[in-house]
Amino acid sequence: MDDNANALAEHGRALAEAATAALPGWVARVACARAAAAGVALDPAAVDAAGRQAAGEVGHRLRELVALDVDAQRATPLALVRTAVRWPTALLRDAG
């Protein structure tokens, strides 16, 4: 790999790691804010588990994506991050 390819690969890894690290807090903030607005209590353990699961699954897919050559990528990092809405949605659905 040349220097440009190495730099691009490093930026991709950094993006994947930053997004992965942010996901648990994002899941908790979104779910708890919506639940509070609706007067619904969420189980803190379930919120924590959902955040960790989102980070694990989405983070894994992000790392796989950015490891590919740009021309081989069939999705964008943002498209993958957007799939994380399923975790706060599930928390809210389960809470009624």
Side-chain angles (χ1 to χ4, degrees):
M1 266 200 233
D2 65 17
D3 288 343
N4 289 332
N6 285 331
L8 186 59
E10 182 54 38
H11 289 305
R13 285 188 294 273
L15 174 65
E17 293 309 313
T20 300
L23 280 169
W26 178 83
V27 168
R29 281 190 307 279
V30 169
C32 291
R34 300 308 185 279
V40 175
L42 296 177
D43 174 19
V47 172
D48 182 58
R52 285 185 282 108
Q53 188 176 26
E57 290 185 29
V58 175
H60 175 72
R61 291 176 30 215
L62 280 169
R63 286 186 293 278
E64 285 183 335
L65 177 71
V66 301
L68 296 173
D69 182 82
V70 173
D71 292 330
Q73 295 177 6
R74 298 293 173 240
T76 66
L78 181 57
L80 294 181
V81 169
R82 285 180 172 159
T83 68
V85 300
R86 79 180 226 218
W87 282 276
T89 300
L91 286 166
L92 295 168
R93 183 188 60 242
D94 294 347

